[in-house]
Amino acid sequence: MRPTVRTEDRLPAELLDLPCRYSSVSLAPRRLLSVADDARWSTRWTVARLDGRAVGAITSHRPATARFKGGPYDLTRLDASFDRPVPEDPRQWVFVGGCRDLSAGAVTAATLTEQETERVRGALAEHVFAEADTAGDFPVALHVRADEAAAFAAGLGGRAVARELGQTADLPLTGDDVEEHVAALSSSQRERCRRDRRRFAALGYAAARVPAATVLAEAAPLVCAVKAKYGVADHPRLCLFRLQEWVRAFGADDCYASVVRDPEGQLLAVSFFAVQGEVLEGYEIGLADDLPGREYAYLQAMIHGPVQYAFELGCRRIDLGLDSSVVKQRRGAVISGVWAISLAPAAAGAPS
């Protein structure tokens, strides 16, 4: 059965109460609600229903002003990923499925079958893209995970344009503890993990799991420092606000930090994770500059420590996020693409 789809001004309450599927923790309904409260964006919800029940939703976000400071969401920097010109006025840009955290996608009810889920995702994408395109706007979904990009493209038919923007890493966990997990890796991955451990011991880089809320202020400058290396401007106060908002969205009991400190207690490296069912999903990472063995502080906070925590917390997979794909793959992660989905120009004489 094809779902009925329409655009609304708010998220249906039942999707807050029911178990849902989403490809990234940033797309959890309560996280999306915090975007809707952000005055920098005009947010709408496109909702799919079957037999009157809400079974899926996708957001669309339009910049509220012509002065857009969106860093990686500045479409003029990504124009090579599209088959038509990007409008100069950002108020004509419509970000489908998400406008932050480098992820986009739909929320669907966990009770749906895989086939129903794909159908709902495609119907949602078809509706919101067509609605924006008909209004003369420029709809685009950025950083859509591979398993969802195909459904989006199918919903858009022959006008779908898909361009790979980057890669993301998922680390499946095998066995009942860290040692069984490492033993199940390939020989080269096992040796690399064991070499990492030797370097951790030599450098004195041990990782600890702490409630995220206890280290937010301390971690914010390190998170900004990492972003600066990738050309992304950030400010510790804005970063702190974003981290606090993240903890509020998921609850303090489900948000953790993986921290590495020096013998004097100085924070050297930190990564943040939220528990979502059987998934431990990464958020931000911070790392001190001019650090002996800096890459090993990163590896301990970002990969090895979280593997231990995942087993402690009953998780079976770690979402390690974007970038550093080779480093993560060499330690057992599975790499897949993230995509930009947009529309090709309408054929001459065809309705837009």
Side-chain angles (χ1 to χ4, degrees):
M1 178 185 296
R2 182 176 174 83
T4 59
V5 180
R6 69 179 187 182
T7 298
E8 305 178 4
D9 290 329
R10 63 185 63 190
L11 176 71
E14 55 260 51
L15 289 178
L16 288 173
D17 300 327
L18 294 175
C20 291
R21 289 194 186 99
Y22 34 85
S23 59
S24 166
V25 71
S26 299
L27 305 175
R30 295 189 187 280
R31 178 69 170 155
L32 290 173
L33 283 174
S34 67
V35 186
D37 292 334
D38 189 334
R40 294 172 298 178
W41 301 93
S42 173
T43 297
R44 302 185 74 191
W45 305 85
T46 298
V47 181
R49 286 183 167 83
L50 287 172
D51 297 325
R53 297 178 299 110
V55 294
I58 193 168
T59 53
S60 57
H61 312 269
R62 184 193 307 272
T65 71
R67 296 184 62 190
F68 182 75
K69 296 181 180 179
Y73 285 91
D74 185 344
L75 296 187
T76 61
R77 300 181 183 181
L78 297 171
D79 57 356
S81 296
F82 314 123
D83 279 8
R84 55 178 176 162
V86 174
E88 293 183 2
D89 188 344
R91 290 171 294 186
Q92 290 184 267
W93 305 349
V94 178
F95 294 95
V96 180
C99 62
R100 65 178 179 186
D101 299 340
L102 302 183
S103 61
V107 175
T108 57
T111 53
L112 298 178
T113 66
E114 290 297 327
Q115 186 177 34
E116 289 171 334
T117 297
E118 295 301 290
R119 191 178 302 126
V120 167
R121 287 171 170 171
L124 288 168
E126 177 185 12
H127 185 96
V128 71
F129 271 86
E131 188 174 62
D133 190 49
T134 299
D137 294 322
F138 189 93
V140 59
L142 296 181
H143 302 282
V144 182
R145 300 294 175 93
D147 59 349
E148 203 158 355
F152 275 37
L156 304 184
R159 290 188 64 193
V161 176
R163 299 280 191 274
E164 189 170 0
L165 289 180
Q167 295 181 319
T168 190
D170 283 293
L171 180 59
L173 301 178
T174 303
D176 295 325
D177 57 30
V178 174
E179 295 308 319
E180 289 186 7
H181 168 73
V182 172
L185 298 176
S186 71
S187 58
S188 62
Q189 291 168 340
R190 285 197 305 273
E191 177 52 34
R192 200 170 295 274
C193 287
R194 290 164 180 164
R195 189 188 316 156
D196 290 346
R197 291 177 178 180
R198 293 192 292 270
R199 290 295 295 153
F200 299 155
L203 292 164
Y205 290 165
R209 171 169 61 95
V210 301
T214 64
V215 295
L216 300 184
E218 190 180 10
L222 299 190
V223 173
C224 291
V226 171
K227 290 184 178 296
K229 288 185 177 296
Y230 288 93
V232 178
D234 203 357
H235 189 282
R237 282 184 294 180
L238 292 175
C239 181
L240 176 59
F241 173 79
R242 191 171 63 249
L243 290 167
Q244 291 170 333
E245 184 183 60
W246 172 75
V247 171
R248 283 194 298 270
F250 295 108
D253 291 343
D254 287 327
C255 295
Y256 296 94
S258 173
V259 300
V260 176
R261 296 184 181 276
D262 67 15
E264 286 71 45
Q266 182 73 26
L267 186 64
L268 304 179
V270 58
S271 61
F272 291 97
F273 291 86
V275 177
Q276 293 289 286
E278 293 190 342
V279 180
L280 187 64
E281 183 151 357
Y283 182 47
E284 297 275 24
I285 183 163
L287 192 58
D289 289 325
D290 302 323
L291 187 65
R294 186 173 183 269
E295 68 273 24
Y296 290 98
Y298 164 84
L299 289 169
Q300 182 68 293
M302 181 68 181
I303 299 177
H304 290 271
V307 169
Q308 177 66 52
Y309 316 147
F311 281 107
E312 295 169 356
L313 295 165
C315 298
R316 302 304 303 172
R317 180 169 69 84
I318 305 176
D319 184 338
L320 293 173
L322 303 173
D323 300 322
S324 303
S325 296
V326 173
V327 168
K328 297 168 183 176
Q329 187 175 38
R330 287 173 175 171
R331 290 156 180 87
V334 177
I335 308 301
S336 58
V338 293
W339 299 79
I341 309 294
S342 62
L343 289 173
S352 62

